């Protein structure tokens, strides 16, 4: 590949000199690659960040088993279409399956014109309290739900929900035109998920939703969480219902994110192709303008393979610099995304992981390789006489 007496370091130095001769063109091409790679990094970092959020925040919170009519493959169970007596049926199996608590839950989403005005209403029996499903929650202001609150128009707000809706102890929250609740407590910051919930007594939210005797799901806590898979299978078989574990939910989220990653990568690919064409154009122009130089190199003994290696190295170097710049610019973009999502929901929705960095750099090098093949081929096939005769 290289001529006698020249090392790979010499080829890289010559390639760098060739690029820095036309600094404006090189800079503009590098910026194009940088922006393309940065957009890909930011898009894909959203999937990486959301994965980390769910893995870290669902590990020790929420039910061990969730029973509903809707399989997790179709998303979260929000519609109150499950008979509330299902909780009694599950409770009857508690001694056999090692079930610690059974909690009927009704969920609803309240949205506004702004994303910050959207919250999840989470109704559960006041007698059991929030700790029945989320045991680590504590009240930072006011108090939590008590048995006396069942059916009453009261609510306990998560930290981020209270901040976004400007709620405090004593505030009134309208559920709809006919129903409202009074905030009796605000929870301490717990996790990005729970912080966006507003907890309401089960009967109160059922009345507001017109869902008397019906729930969205039944949350089950086990004496031994490791038995979750076995218990879910038994409940599914005996009750003819959908029973999923935390692992099932995480698998569903991961599958959904894989699809969304593919879509985001496809969008980024358009910018990457444009960046690759810019690299090919820059290198091709460089080959055309340096025809006599390449002819001189051939005349003093350089092999065609050396010329090809030199042009290909320029292309790789250009793409590598753009790739590194894209990762750094992407990191700044990720910081901006997380600043927004922290204010919105208290989570870091984007994350720059090692595999994402490696992917970005690998794609940059592949882009440089493909973009440099044609210019390198043309440069290596030049005849010495024709190249030296070029004006």
């Amino acid at each position: 590949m290289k001529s006698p007496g020249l090392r790979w370091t010499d080829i890289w130095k010559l390639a760098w000199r060739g690029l820095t001769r036309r600094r404006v063109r090189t800079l503009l091409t590098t910026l194009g690659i940088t922006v393309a790679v940065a957009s890909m990094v930011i898009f894909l970092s959203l999937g990486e960040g959301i994965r980390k959020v769910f893995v870290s925040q669902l590990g020790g919170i929420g039910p061990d088993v969730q029973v509903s009519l809707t399989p997790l493959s179709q998303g979260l169970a929000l519609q109150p279409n499950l008979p509330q007596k299902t909780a009694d049926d599950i409770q009857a199996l508690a001694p056999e399956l090692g079930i610690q608590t059974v909690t009927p839950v009704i969920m609803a989403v309240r949205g506004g014109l702004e994303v910050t005005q959207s919250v999840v209403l989470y109704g559960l029996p006041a007698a059991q309290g929030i700790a029945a499903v989320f045991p680590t929650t504590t009240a930072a202001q006011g108090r939590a739900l008590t048995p006396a609150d069942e059916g009453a128009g009261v609510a306990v707000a998560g930290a981020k929900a209270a901040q976004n809706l400007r709620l405090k102890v004593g505030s009134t929250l309208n559920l709809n035109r006919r129903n409202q609740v009074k905030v009796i407590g605000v929870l301490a910051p717990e996790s990005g998920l729970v912080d966006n919930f507003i907890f309401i007594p089960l009967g109160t939210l059922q009345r507001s939703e017109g869902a008397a005797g019906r729930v969205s799901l039944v949350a089950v806590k086990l004496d031994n969480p490791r038995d979750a898979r076995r218990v879910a299978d038994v409940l599914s078989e005996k009750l003819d219902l959908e029973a999923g574990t935390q692992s099932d939910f995480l698998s569903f989220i991961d599958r959904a994110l894989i699809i969304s990653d593919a879509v985001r990568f496809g969008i980024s690919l358009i910018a990457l192709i444009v960046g690759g064409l810019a690299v090919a154009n820059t290198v091709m122009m460089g080959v055309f303008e340096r025809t006599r130089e390449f002819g001189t190199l051939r005349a003093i003994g350089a092999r065609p393979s050396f010329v090809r290696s030199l042009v290909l190295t320029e292309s790789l170097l250009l793409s590598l610099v753009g790739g590194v710049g894209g990762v750094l610019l992407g990191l700044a973009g990720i910081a901006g995304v997380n600043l927004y999502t922290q204010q919105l929901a208290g989570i870091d929705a984007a994350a720059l992981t090692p595999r994402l960095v490696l992917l970005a750099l690998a794609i940059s090098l592949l882009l440089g390789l493909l973009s440099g093949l044609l210019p390198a081929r043309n440069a290596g096939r030049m005849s010495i006489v024709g190249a030296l005769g070029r004006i």
Side-chain angles (χ1 to χ4, degrees), residues 193-241:
L193 299 176
V194 178
D195 287 349
N196 289 280
F197 288 177
I198 293 181
F199 296 93
I200 299 173
L202 180 65
T204 304
L205 191 53
Q206 284 177 322
R207 185 171 60 251
S208 172
E209 296 295 309
R214 290 177 285 129
V215 294
S216 302
L217 58 95
V218 177
V220 178
K221 278 284 188 181
L222 304 177
D223 293 327
N224 184 3
R226 294 182 180 179
D227 294 334
R229 180 72 273 157
R230 178 183 64 84
V231 172
D233 292 340
V234 172
L235 291 176
S236 293
E237 181 179 351
K238 290 192 173 185
L239 302 179
D240 192 25
L241 294 170

Side-chain angles (χ1 to χ4, degrees), residues 42-306:
I42 294 174
F43 281 157
L44 296 184
S45 71
L46 294 172
E48 296 292 305
I50 294 172
R51 279 189 185 89
K52 291 179 67 175
V53 168
F54 278 100
V55 170
S56 63
Q57 297 190 358
L58 282 182
I61 66 172
D64 297 317
V65 177
Q66 172 181 303
V67 180
S68 66
L69 284 176
T70 306
L72 285 175
S73 59
Q74 297 181 17
L76 290 175
L78 294 179
Q79 292 296 325
N81 53 12
L82 183 68
Q84 189 172 339
K85 68 180 184 63
T86 303
D88 298 328
D89 297 336
I90 296 174
Q91 188 65 56
L93 298 172
E96 172 189 346
L97 301 178
I99 295 175
Q100 187 178 99
T101 60
V102 178
T103 309
V105 173
I106 181 171
M107 299 177 67
V109 175
R110 285 292 176 270
L113 295 178
E114 297 182 13
V115 179
T116 55
Q117 302 301 305
S118 298
V119 294
V120 176
L121 304 181
Y122 198 97
L124 75 176
Q128 291 181 272
I130 302 171
V133 182
F134 305 102
T136 60
T137 54
T138 57
Q141 302 174 30
R143 62 177 178 84
L145 296 176
T146 64
D149 293 323
E150 186 56 54
V154 295
V156 176
K160 184 56 65 173
Q163 177 183 328
N164 289 341
L165 299 181
R166 295 181 175 83
L167 299 175
K168 58 183 179 180
V169 176
S171 298
T172 298
L173 175 67
N174 292 321
L175 301 180
N176 51 42
R177 294 176 67 91
R178 297 183 178 181
N179 296 274
Q180 59 184 25
V181 291
K182 181 180 179 181
V183 177
I184 59 171
V186 175
L187 298 178
E190 178 68 22
S191 74
L193 299 176
V194 178
D195 287 349
N196 289 280
F197 288 177
I198 293 181
F199 296 93
I200 299 173
L202 180 65
T204 304
L205 191 53
Q206 284 177 322
R207 185 171 60 251
S208 172
E209 296 295 309
R214 290 177 285 129
V215 294
S216 302
L217 58 95
V218 177
V220 178
K221 278 284 188 181
L222 304 177
D223 293 327
N224 184 3
R226 294 182 180 179
D227 294 334
R229 180 72 273 157
R230 178 183 64 84
V231 172
D233 292 340
V234 172
L235 291 176
S236 293
E237 181 179 351
K238 290 192 173 185
L239 302 179
D240 192 25
L241 294 170
E242 297 291 339
T245 65
Q246 288 185 356
S247 296
D248 294 333
F249 181 67
L250 291 175
S251 297
F252 163 71
I253 293 296
D254 192 57
R255 289 194 300 271
L257 288 175
I258 288 174
I259 296 173
S260 66
D261 284 346
V263 173
R264 288 193 296 270
F265 181 74
I267 296 173
S268 304
L269 193 59
I270 298 173
L272 290 171
I273 291 174
V274 173
L277 292 175
V279 172
N281 178 70
T282 297
V283 177
M284 186 71 80
M285 289 297 297
V287 169
F288 178 78
E289 294 170 352
R290 295 158 61 196
T291 299
R292 289 178 60 84
E293 177 185 331
F294 291 145
T296 302
L297 287 173
R298 292 288 311 283
I300 62 177
R303 299 173 183 172
S305 60
F306 171 78

